[in-house]
Amino acid sequence: MRLTTDNVLSILLLADKYNIAVLRETCVEYMLHHIVESPDTNRTLSWYQYAKMTANALLVTKCWKFILSNFDIILKTSDWINMTTAEIIQFLSSNDLVVSDEFYLWENVEKWVTLKFEEEEVAGVVLDVIPLLHFTMMQPKQLLQIEKSSLFEKYKAVFMEKTSAAYRHHSLLSDEVNVQTSTERFRNYTSDIYGLCVNFKIEDFKDMEVSLCRYKQRVSVPIEFISSTKGYKADQNRVLFEVALHGKGVCKTFSFYNQKPKNAKLSVRALNVKPNLKAEITFIIYGRKNGVCYVAFTYTNTHEYSTTCQFFMEENLIAVSTLCSEKSPYLIDGSLEARVFVKILSLEEKTEWRLQSFIYMNMNLQKSFNRHYFSLISAS
């Protein structure tokens, strides 16, 4: 019998039941090599459930990495509807998801709730899952669409706290009120409305000279998401970064052995540095299998920027020999296609500003009180 993505799990369960070690190893090996499949044949979610149940650490890790980095693909699979509440909570609790936008997540969560659960079960599921969606990362017009859904109508109390906070967030930021309006963090959103990432496409990667394989772009990263910058001073809510990718590393001018660079290099420089700025940097490379584009490589790190430390640099990003190998999974028609996400995690300057504003406000209140108090004494 030939193994396929549809039958491998059933055969593996039989191998476990009758303790056929060779067949079990063959099935797991097949899974490890077929995690990347088109949505109609992709079974990563089911395999992830099995791997957790049997404590297969390698399969768990591989499936989990693919799920996080390719969540748009995962949401289109037939297995999505069969996920347990605990697994959905696990996915939505992660800010490392690579996904187009938050509203797309909501649409698929709504589909999962309405198709999987009986009416008497829905209330508990909504209470556990809906708070994990980042409503402040949705546009006001999308929030209005949510309010038209049947789930919203039936469970307004669960939704209202989140949607009200989201409307307040957009209203205050559009009016240039300099306060932190949300604690919800960005995920790795690919949609242009967020402005979190830069795209790189290096054509004819294998044949390109090392010195020419250098690309640089700037990205103005928002501190908090605002859906429109119309009439808004964007620089108040953004930090400008310069992202440089040396696809084949950097040739050093003076090299005793004149060695070729071994690894690709990434640098992310903050151009308008703010005090104690902490950012998360995620680099992904796309591959293609059976006509499906997917994230084939992911690298994530965090960096604290300051006036004395404006650069983040990773000189050992990925081996050039791996990128240029004969059967490289990282090249699409000979091109290297990659994305770099920059997400601001914290900015102490805003905290200091709020503290100073609070002190200033209290000083004014104290002065007002003193004037009122002394005027009363004088009158008496």
Side-chain angles (χ1 to χ4, degrees):
M1 178 181 286
R2 189 173 70 90
L3 291 176
T4 68
T5 54
D6 285 329
N7 69 21
V8 67
L9 184 55
S10 300
I11 295 172
L12 180 54
L13 291 172
L14 287 172
D16 278 336
K17 181 179 179 179
Y18 294 105
N19 197 25
I20 308 173
V22 175
L23 183 57
R24 184 193 303 120
E25 290 171 9
T26 301
C27 289
V28 171
E29 192 68 24
Y30 179 91
M31 288 174 165
L32 291 172
H33 286 89
H34 289 80
I35 287 172
V36 182
E37 294 290 339
S38 59
D40 57 326
T41 59
N42 193 291
R43 295 292 177 266
T44 307
L45 289 171
S46 296
W47 297 351
Y48 176 65
Q49 289 176 323
Y50 167 82
K52 286 193 303 176
M53 183 177 67
T54 57
N56 188 313
L58 179 59
L59 189 56
V60 167
T61 300
K62 281 222 170 190
C63 288
W64 178 245
K65 284 184 177 179
F66 181 85
I67 290 166
L68 287 187
S69 299
N70 295 276
F71 214 64
D72 279 347
I73 293 176
I74 291 298
L75 291 173
K76 295 173 185 174
T77 64
S78 58
D79 288 345
W80 169 253
I81 301 302
N82 299 319
M83 290 296 97
T84 66
T85 303
E87 286 161 343
I88 298 295
I89 288 172
Q90 186 182 23
F91 299 150
L92 296 183
S93 297
S94 174
N95 293 319
D96 294 326
L97 294 178
V98 177
V99 67
S100 57
D101 60 81
E102 195 71 21
F103 186 71
Y104 183 55
L105 274 182
W106 148 254
E107 289 179 311
N108 285 276
V109 168
E110 181 189 30
K111 180 181 175 183
W112 170 76
V113 173
T114 53
L115 292 180
K116 181 177 176 65
F117 296 97
E118 299 295 332
E119 191 171 342
E120 61 272 13
E121 299 175 292
V122 173
V125 174
V126 166
L127 193 62
D128 290 336
V129 172
I130 295 304
L132 298 176
L133 290 167
H134 298 182
F135 284 77
T136 54
M137 300 297 170
M138 301 183 201
Q139 297 173 307
K141 62 183 180 181
Q142 294 171 337
L143 296 172
L144 286 172
Q145 283 185 255
I146 291 175
E147 290 179 359
K148 296 176 184 177
S149 74
S150 58
L151 283 182
F152 184 92
E153 286 296 323
K154 290 180 182 178
Y155 306 101
K156 278 187 180 180
V158 179
F159 282 87
M160 283 299 289
E161 182 180 350
K162 298 286 288 185
T163 54
S164 296
Y167 283 127
R168 178 177 180 273
H169 165 86
H170 289 297
S171 176
L172 290 174
L173 283 183
S174 63
D175 284 343
E176 303 181 35
V177 179
N178 194 4
V179 295
Q180 184 176 7
T181 62
S182 173
T183 58
E184 292 178 338
R185 283 175 49 193
F186 289 102
R187 306 186 201 270
N188 290 324
Y189 299 119
T190 58
S191 173
D192 292 338
I193 66 170
Y194 297 100
L196 297 178
C197 62
V198 295
N199 302 327
F200 293 96
K201 184 175 181 179
I202 306 175
E203 296 181 348
D204 299 320
F205 181 80
K206 284 185 180 180
D207 299 326
M208 185 169 285
E209 292 285 336
V210 174
S211 59
L212 298 177
C213 197
R214 177 177 181 267
Y215 288 80
K216 189 161 57 176
Q217 289 188 42
R218 290 184 177 184
V219 57
S220 184
V221 178
I223 298 165
E224 295 181 86
F225 173 59
I226 181 169
S227 61
S228 173
T229 55
K230 186 178 180 181
Y232 180 74
K233 295 179 181 177
D235 58 334
Q236 291 184 356
N237 192 47
R238 293 177 177 271
V239 180
L240 185 62
F241 291 90
E242 184 179 77
V243 181
L245 175 63
H246 299 257
K248 291 189 174 180
V250 180
C251 273
K252 295 180 180 178
T253 307
F254 302 101
S255 175
F256 186 76
Y257 295 105
N258 195 28
Q259 293 179 333
K260 292 183 179 180
K262 296 179 179 179
N263 303 297
K265 174 184 171 182
L266 175 72
S267 67
V268 181
R269 179 164 67 107
L271 297 179
N272 54 331
V273 181
K274 298 178 183 289
N276 300 314
L277 166 67
K278 187 176 183 181
E280 181 180 276
I281 294 136
T282 300
F283 174 79
I284 61 175
I285 301 176
Y286 288 93
R288 187 164 65 195
K289 181 180 178 182
N290 300 331
V292 178
C293 285
Y294 69 99
V295 176
F297 175 85
T298 305
Y299 165 89
T300 301
N301 211 332
T302 58
H303 184 70
E304 293 189 11
Y305 290 91
S306 67
T307 51
T308 57
C309 184
Q310 299 179 27
F311 275 93
F312 164 82
M313 198 170 294
E314 176 54 70
E315 296 189 281
N316 300 306
L317 192 61
I318 184 171
V320 175
S321 59
T322 302
L323 291 173
C324 295
S325 66
E326 191 63 34
K327 294 183 178 180
S328 173
Y330 306 115
L331 298 182
I332 300 176
D333 297 329
S335 299
L336 181 71
E337 297 185 22
R339 267 195 174 107
V340 180
F341 299 88
V342 184
K343 300 187 297 185
I344 295 171
L345 302 181
S346 61
L347 183 59
E348 193 170 302
E349 182 187 53
K350 291 190 74 180
T351 305
E352 291 171 353
W353 184 90
R354 289 197 300 275
L355 180 60
Q356 290 167 3
S357 298
F358 178 76
I359 294 170
Y360 181 73
M361 181 181 70
N362 277 278
M363 287 173 62
N364 284 339
L365 286 173
Q366 186 64 47
K367 288 177 182 177
S368 177
F369 173 79
N370 290 342
R371 284 195 300 268
H372 182 65
Y373 177 74
F374 285 118
S375 64
L376 288 174
I377 291 177
S378 299
S380 63

